[in-house]
Amino acid sequence: MSRLVMAKELDVVVDHRLFALVDEEGQEGQRPATPGAGGLVAANATMLYVQTPEDVLDTRLRLEHWDGPADSESGAWPVQGEVVMQLPSGRFMVDEIAAGGKTGVFQLPAGGRWRVRAAWRPGVIDETGESSEPEGWAVVQFWPEN
């Protein structure tokens, strides 16, 4: 059974349904195409784009490092996508597209090949139409590719 090693949460601004996680040493080169209709993630070796299935402005992002295959909790996260990335450093920034970026948001123990699962779910809105939560929640889980 795999074990969660580290987790971090932060708020992310979503621009035209997109935000990205980028290895800070892998910002050069062509960006991946956006996921497109019905897709959640698109990636190249060093950049992961997450496309929310709904129009939202803010999302709460949870980043997780696991020592083996992460628990998917598919019932709690109805929209998921999985990719493999070849990370130069494992040190990430968040690209909020037009809103800019945040550096140093998450650090894996090393670069190399990592399996990455992203998942998204909408925020909770109460019976009055108000929400005390972000408009959406995203989780991105990393574990070593064997």
Side-chain angles (χ1 to χ4, degrees), residues 22-140:
V22 181
D23 188 295
E24 290 188 9
E25 291 184 18
Q27 298 180 47
E28 304 302 320
Q30 190 168 355
R31 296 186 178 276
T34 58
L40 179 68
V41 296
N44 63 18
T46 63
M47 300 176 192
L48 175 79
Y49 278 15
V50 178
Q51 179 174 294
T52 63
E54 297 178 18
D55 285 321
V56 296
L57 180 59
D58 65 301
T59 290
R60 186 74 176 164
L61 173 62
R62 180 176 168 90
L63 300 166
E64 298 179 348
H65 167 211
W66 289 74
D67 64 1
D71 182 6
S72 71
E73 299 182 49
S74 59
W77 300 94
V79 182
Q80 297 189 22
E82 198 170 301
V83 297
V84 174
M85 298 178 75
Q86 180 66 43
L87 303 171
S89 71
R91 188 176 61 250
F92 285 95
M93 65 172 286
V94 172
D95 181 357
E96 297 172 308
I97 317 302
K102 299 173 185 165
T103 61
V105 298
F106 195 66
Q107 175 73 53
L108 293 170
R113 288 182 61 83
W114 289 84
R115 185 156 295 274
V116 184
R117 178 186 301 120
W120 190 86
R121 67 177 169 86
V124 176
I125 298 175
D126 67 19
E127 60 279 351
T128 67
E130 296 296 317
S131 173
S132 61
E133 296 187 0
E135 294 176 279
W137 289 83
V139 63
V140 178

Side-chain angles (χ1 to χ4, degrees), residues 1-18:
M1 175 146 235
S2 299
R3 181 178 64 88
L4 178 64
V5 177
M6 179 180 61
K8 181 177 181 181
E9 289 189 7
L10 64 146
D11 293 319
V12 175
V13 174
V14 179
D15 183 18
H16 291 87
R17 296 188 177 189
L18 289 174

